[in-house]
Amino acid sequence: MGMSETESGGISKEETEAAEPSASEVSKEGEDAMSAVESTGLEATDLDGELSSEKPEESILGSDPEAETKPEEDYTSDREPGSEGQVSQEDSGVTGTSPEATSTTSGEGAVTDTDVTDSQQDTSAAEAVRETSASNASQSDQQTVSETRLQDENLLHDMDSDPSVAKRFAASCLTLPQFIQLMDNFVGEDISLPIVKRLTAFIKGEYKQTKEEKMKQREKVHRMSHVAQRKQLLEALFEKWDSKACGSLDLEEVIAALSKFKGHMGKEALMKAKEELCSRYPQLSKAGKLSPKAFQIFLDLIASKFTGNEDETMDNLVSFLTTSVEQSHIKSLQSSARRKWLQDIQKAAETCGTSMEPVYKAVIKALSQDMEAHGGNKTVSAYIALLEENQLSPEQGQVLLRYMACTADDAPYILNRVLHREMKGISFAAIEQGKPIYVPRVQHHGNIHFWSSDDPEEDKKGSLLVLPLYDAHWRVFGILGLDTLRDQSHKSIFLTHEITFYEGVCHAFSKAYHHVCMRENVLQVAVTALDWLYPRTPSIHAVTIYLVEPGTDKNYALCKMITTDNTGQKEIHRSPIVLLREENLLRDYLFKCTDSSEVTLTSIYGEHHIAVPLHDLSRQTLGIFDISIGQHKKLPPQEQKDLQKMLKMAQAACSEILWRFLEEREPTQVLEAEHVAHLRHAGILFHRFMLQELRECVLKLSAESFAIINSWVEPPALVHEVVKAVLLLLHPDWKDSEEIESWSQCKLKLDDNLIQEIYCFDPTASSVQVQAELLLDLITGVPQPAAWQQDSAPAQYLYQWLQTCLALMEITKSQHTEQNHP
C-alpha cells in the first residue's frame, strides 16, 4: 500500500478553470475526504518491522499489494520478528515520490506527489484538495500547490480480504506531531493560507463522534490514567523504600513486609507469587534483589493471586506498602544527593555517543563526591573490571577480568591490567557467589592480590570491597572494587550505608554501560545494512545516520554518527557532530522526523532527502537514516524495493537488540554464531532476519513450484550456476560430481527434500565445510538484478538465500579471525 505516482506535464488555464468545482461538489467531496481520514484512524507511517497484531499492516515504500501474493515479484512472511520466526509481512520503506512540485496532465490541477504517509485515504479526498487547489490557482495566477495523492484501492482490497485490517486502522491513533505531519503531507508544501483555514474549519465542523465511541474513549482514557497513576505510585514507593539509593530492594525484606498483608490469605498468595517470580527470574532469586521492574512484576503477581477485582487488590497493596514504608523510612538529604550523582552516571551514558570514557569518569566522580560528603573524607581507590573471554591463554581460565577504569592515582598500577582466575584475589569469588565480599583488614586475609609492588608488605593495610556488576538478566559481567590502602587513617573501614550506596553505583553503571552497548549494536546493524544496500542502489548519493540524545521537551540533540558517500565509503565519527534544532534550520526535516517518528521528505537546494526513523520499543525515534537521492525525484522500482527491504530488516534487528536489554526477555538466538559471538557482532542480526524471511518464502514452495525450471532442457546459465551453488553449499561432497555438473541430474534435486534442507540450514554452523570462495566463483560477475529478470520465483529465492548465507559465512569467518587475533 503506497502512494500513486503522478505523471508530469503542463496544464492550460482552460483546463484549470474546467476543473474548478461548484460549492456543492466541494462540500460532497469534503465529506468524502473526512470519511476517508476517519476510516484510517489517521494512522501514521510505520517502519518498525516488529508490529503487533494491533497495528495496521502498512508500507511507505510504495509496494504493490499484489506483490505480497505473487512470489515472483517479492517475498514476505507473516510472522513477527524477534521470535524464532520471521519479520512481519509489512514492507517498510519509503515511496518513490518527488518532494518538489510537478504538474500533472489533463486538468488534474497543479499537483505533486510530495511527502509520504501511510494513511490510505479515499481518492475523493485527494480530488477535493486537488480541485480546491485548482480553484485557488485560477484565482491567484496559477499558484503552484503541493499535495499528496494516495491510493485507496489497495486499502479497500486489503480490508475486503482481511477484516482485521479495518479493525486495526480504526483502533489506531496519532500523537500531536504525527497529526501535524499527516496534515502537512495531505495539503503539501505550497498550499495557500485560505485553503488551510478551510480545511481546519471543515475538520472542526464535520468531525462527529457517536455516544458509543465517546464512552469507549472515556473508558480508555480512564484506564490509561489509572495505570499511569499506579506506575508513578510504584516508582515513588520503590524510591522511598530504597532510601539508600542502592538501585534494588532486598527480596526477603520485601517479603517480610508483604507477609502482613491480609493475614493467612496474603501469605499464601505471597508464596505463590514468589515461586512464580523466581521461576521466571532464576538469577534474581540467586542474587536476592529486586530491580524496579521486578518489584512491579512481583506486586502484579501477588495481586493476581487474590480473588475479586485485581485492580482494587493492587491499589490496596500499594497503599499498604506505602504506609509501611513511611513508618520505617524517612527520606533524607543524603538519599537525595546520592540519587543526583547516580542520575549523572545515566546522563553521561545518554550524551556520550558510543564512548564509555564519560561514563567511567561519572562513576569515579560519584564515588569521590559521596566519600567527601558521607564517608569522613577517607582516601579511597576505586576500579572497574569487566569479564572477557580469555583468548590468548585459555589454560589460565576461560574468562579474565580486565581493569577498564580506576581513580587517577591508581592508573599507573592497575589500568588495563588483567586478573586471571588462578591469581590471588577475591574478585572471582564475588563473581561466582553473586554477592559483595568485604575484607575489613587486607593484611590478615592472605588471598589478596596487590597491584602495587612499591610499598612494603607491612604498609599494605586497609579495607577491600568487591561488588559484582549485574546485567538486566542478573548475570555478572564484571566487578566494582574499592579499597582504602592509600588511606593513613586507622578507621578506614566501609560502613553499611556506604556499601549500599556502592551497590546503587553498580546498578547505575550497569544501566549506563548497557545503554552504550545498545547504541553500539544499533550502529553495527546500520553499518551492515548499508553494506547490503549500496551495491544494489547506485541512485543513492549519500546516507547519514544520526542517534537521538535526550533532552528536556524538544531540546534534544541529533548526533551525526556515520556518513557515507556515493560509493558506500563510510566515515564513523568517534567524536559525534551534535546538531541542535535552533542551529540547523535547513535540517529541520530531521527534527520533524524525530518529533513525529514518521518518514519525512524534503528538497534542499535541489537535493532530495528521505529521513527515515529507527524506532525504539515504544515507537519513539531512536535514530534516523538521512538518505540523499541527489537530483532524482524517486528511486527506480527495484532500488526502491531494496531500500524498503533494508529498512525493514534494520528495524527488526534493532528491535531485537532493544529486547535483549530488557530483564524480562532472554535473547532469541537462531544461528550458532549468535550463541558463540553473543552481541559481539550485531550485524549478524540483519542477515539473520533476512535469512528467516527467505526460509519462509522457500518453505511455501513445493515441488510443483520448480516446474518451470525442470522444463528447461538447457536453462539460463545463471539458473544452473545458482542451483549448483545451492547444492554445493548443502552437499560439499558433490563438488565436481555429475550430481551438480549435469543439468539433467541437477534439476532432479529440486524437490520437497531440498526445500526442507534449505529451511533448516545454518550457514554459521561449525559443521559447514564448503569454502565460500567456491560458491562466489559460481556467481561472480552476475549482478543481482539479473536474477530478478528470470521468470522463476524459486530461482530468485535461491539466489537471494545463497547471497544471505554467504554474508553470514563471511561474518562468522571474521569473528573466528578476531578471536584468534584480538
Side-chain angles (χ1 to χ4, degrees), residues 392-407:
L392 291 179
S393 54
E395 67 278 0
Q396 293 181 283
Q398 293 184 345
V399 294
L400 55 82
L401 277 170
R402 186 178 299 277
Y403 288 81
M404 309 298 295
C406 63
T407 41

Side-chain angles (χ1 to χ4, degrees), residues 761-774:
F761 182 73
D762 181 355
T764 70
S766 56
S767 59
V768 175
Q769 300 297 325
V770 68
Q771 297 295 318
E773 292 76 10
L774 295 176

Side-chain angles (χ1 to χ4, degrees), residues 614-817:
L614 273 176
H615 297 142
D616 63 17
L617 297 178
S618 61
R619 284 195 50 75
Q620 300 299 309
T621 303
L622 171 68
I624 295 175
F625 283 98
D626 181 13
I627 303 164
S628 168
I629 57 176
Q631 303 298 319
H632 302 291
K633 295 178 181 178
K634 60 182 179 181
L635 293 173
Q638 183 57 47
E639 293 187 32
Q640 179 176 300
K641 187 177 293 186
D642 286 331
L643 173 60
Q644 178 181 8
K645 196 172 299 178
M646 181 278 279
L647 294 169
K648 175 176 158 184
M649 299 303 167
Q651 180 61 67
C654 288
S655 297
E656 173 68 16
I657 287 170
L658 294 171
W659 275 113
R660 289 182 172 186
F661 289 99
L662 297 182
E663 62 182 312
E664 64 266 27
R665 185 178 186 273
E666 289 290 335
T668 301
Q669 295 178 331
V670 177
L671 304 175
E672 184 178 300
E674 294 179 273
H675 293 271
V676 176
H678 196 43
L679 290 183
R680 291 179 58 198
H681 198 301
I684 286 179
L685 282 173
F686 177 85
H687 293 292
R688 189 252 274 179
F689 278 107
M690 191 78 73
L691 180 69
Q692 286 178 270
E693 183 168 279
L694 283 164
R695 282 175 172 178
E696 290 301 308
C697 293
V698 172
L699 190 63
K700 292 175 183 177
L701 299 175
S702 63
E704 290 75 20
S705 304
F706 295 106
I708 296 179
I709 297 180
N710 287 328
S711 67
W712 290 329
V713 177
E714 287 295 332
L718 172 62
V719 173
H720 191 185
E721 297 302 309
V722 167
V723 174
K724 281 173 59 177
V726 169
L727 293 175
L728 185 59
L729 180 57
L730 297 173
H731 301 279
D733 55 310
W734 288 356
K735 180 185 177 183
D736 298 328
S737 71
E738 191 74 8
E739 301 283 350
I740 60 174
E741 296 300 333
S742 169
W743 174 247
S744 60
Q745 291 293 320
C746 205
K747 66 182 181 180
L748 294 177
K749 310 297 187 299
L750 302 176
D751 54 16
D752 292 335
N753 290 332
L754 177 66
I755 291 172
Q756 287 300 321
E757 283 187 278
I758 289 175
Y759 185 80
C760 299
F761 182 73
D762 181 355
T764 70
S766 56
S767 59
V768 175
Q769 300 297 325
V770 68
Q771 297 295 318
E773 292 76 10
L774 295 176
L775 307 179
L776 286 172
D777 288 342
L778 293 174
I779 58 175
T780 296
V782 181
Q784 189 202 17
W788 290 96
Q789 293 169 10
Q790 305 301 324
D791 295 329
S792 173
Q796 300 167 10
Y797 293 157
L798 294 179
Y799 183 77
Q800 294 178 60
W801 177 82
L802 186 62
Q803 285 192 315
T804 304
C805 287
L806 288 172
L808 285 166
M809 292 168 67
E810 182 62 30
I811 293 176
T812 305
K813 180 180 178 182
S814 67
Q815 283 295 290
H816 289 312
T817 303

Side-chain angles (χ1 to χ4, degrees), residues 60 88 107 113 147 289 329 450 473 530 538 586 646 662 808:
I60 315 167
S88 64
D113 43 352
E147 69 169 44
K289 299 292 184 180
H329 293 288
F450 297 97
H473 302 280
L530 292 178
L586 287 179
M646 181 278 279
L662 297 182
L808 285 166

Side-chain angles (χ1 to χ4, degrees), residues 280-292:
R280 186 184 298 187
Y281 303 116
Q283 295 295 330
L284 180 148
S285 59
K286 179 181 177 181
K289 299 292 184 180
L290 286 177
S291 66

